[in-house]
Amino acid sequence: MCKTVALGLDNLVSEWVIGFPATSRVFEKNGIDYCCGGAATLRAACETRGLDREAVMAELLALGREPPQRDWSTAALGELVDHIEKTHHAYLKTELLRIARLVHHTREAHGAHYAWLADLQATYDRFAAEMHLHMFKEEQILFPRIRQLENQITHVNVSIPVTMMEHEHQRAGADLEKMRTLTGGYVAPAEACTTFRAMVDALRELETDTHMHVHKENDILFPRAVAAAR
């Protein structure tokens, strides 16, 4: 059942984000202020912005629907590479920038009361910088080689870049674990504002997506590519 089903147009925007922080993405997309303007009802916020109330509600409710899972172990190498780029890389290229803003604003506003936010920002900034470079190397070096393998082009070396990517995955995993620890398992303080809650939720989703991303590469794509290169 969708988590947002109990909320409606007459709930405050802040109630939506407090009850289901992922809704912050929909509010940001539609220009609805869920922090300083969080005291307005969703109905009033939509009217102020000239938005279709039912369309916004549909976007919010859709957040609770899980897409069907596919067994990627049977997909062609090129199809799996395309999927990783269009799904996980596309997600990171959008979300890393959004989360960076949330982390920065949260630290600026609450760093004096939560000293660990400085460590969180340093860890996140390192993670984001390394993931941007990681995706670039995959898209420019490793993935084109894997596509060559599928086209039966011989003498393609993927072992060295695969080893490098796996090492970078380990570093990313360590940063994610540290961010989980710093946030107490991605739990916002009881008195946290909506931006604080949105940051914690975004980091939780980042971890979930990155774990699936790395699983598809380490456990499915890379072993099959190395075997094909042999």
Side-chain angles (χ1 to χ4, degrees):
M1 180 179 293
C2 179
K3 294 180 181 179
T4 58
V5 71
L7 297 171
L9 289 169
D10 293 319
N11 285 95
L12 302 181
V13 172
S14 60
E15 290 178 327
W16 279 87
V17 181
I18 290 171
F20 190 25
T23 56
S24 62
R25 293 166 178 75
V26 174
F27 293 143
E28 288 181 355
K29 173 187 173 185
N30 289 283
I32 295 175
D33 181 358
Y34 60 84
C35 189
C36 297
T41 65
L42 178 58
R43 186 189 304 276
C46 288
E47 290 176 355
T48 299
R49 300 291 299 175
L51 300 170
D52 183 333
R53 297 192 301 266
E54 298 306 318
V56 173
M57 276 293 298
E59 288 185 69
L60 292 167
L61 294 173
L63 291 171
R65 303 189 187 113
E66 292 294 331
Q69 297 296 310
R70 174 174 175 180
D71 180 5
W72 286 102
S73 65
T74 61
L77 289 176
E79 184 184 6
L80 179 52
V81 166
D82 291 342
H83 162 73
I84 289 171
E85 287 187 349
K86 293 176 182 178
T87 303
H88 300 292
H89 284 200
Y91 163 82
L92 286 171
K93 289 173 183 178
T94 299
E95 285 296 283
L96 287 176
L97 293 174
R98 188 183 82 90
I99 298 171
R101 292 194 296 268
L102 289 171
V103 172
H104 173 75
H105 292 323
T106 302
R107 183 196 173 190
E108 286 287 302
H110 304 286
H113 294 93
Y114 300 98
W116 55 267
L117 286 171
D119 200 2
L120 179 69
Q121 179 162 10
T123 304
Y124 177 79
D125 288 347
R126 179 177 62 245
F127 172 88
E130 291 188 355
M131 287 304 292
H132 277 299
L133 182 58
H134 179 82
M135 289 188 289
F136 177 82
K137 287 186 284 189
E138 285 190 334
E139 293 176 7
Q140 299 300 316
I141 301 172
L142 179 56
F143 287 177
R145 294 187 186 187
I146 292 176
R147 290 188 176 99
Q148 287 181 318
L149 287 173
E150 189 175 46
N151 294 326
Q152 298 183 337
I153 298 176
T154 59
H155 307 299
V156 177
N157 186 333
V158 297
S159 296
I160 294 175
V162 159
T163 299
M164 181 181 295
M165 295 302 99
E166 289 175 335
H167 178 66
E168 292 178 1
H169 286 166
Q170 291 178 346
R171 291 207 305 269
D175 282 338
L176 288 170
E177 182 60 32
K178 184 171 184 180
M179 289 188 282
R180 169 175 280 277
T181 299
L182 288 168
T183 58
Y186 302 118
V187 177
E191 67 278 12
C193 69
T194 51
T195 300
F196 203 137
R197 292 176 185 275
M199 177 199 73
V200 171
D201 175 73
L203 290 172
R204 182 193 301 110
E205 184 174 276
L206 176 66
E207 180 190 73
T208 299
D209 187 85
T210 303
H211 283 170
M212 182 58 66
H213 178 180
V214 171
H215 159 69
K216 289 173 183 174
E217 292 186 351
N218 280 9
D219 300 332
I220 302 174
L221 179 64
F222 293 170
R224 291 180 58 196
V226 171
R230 294 197 184 108

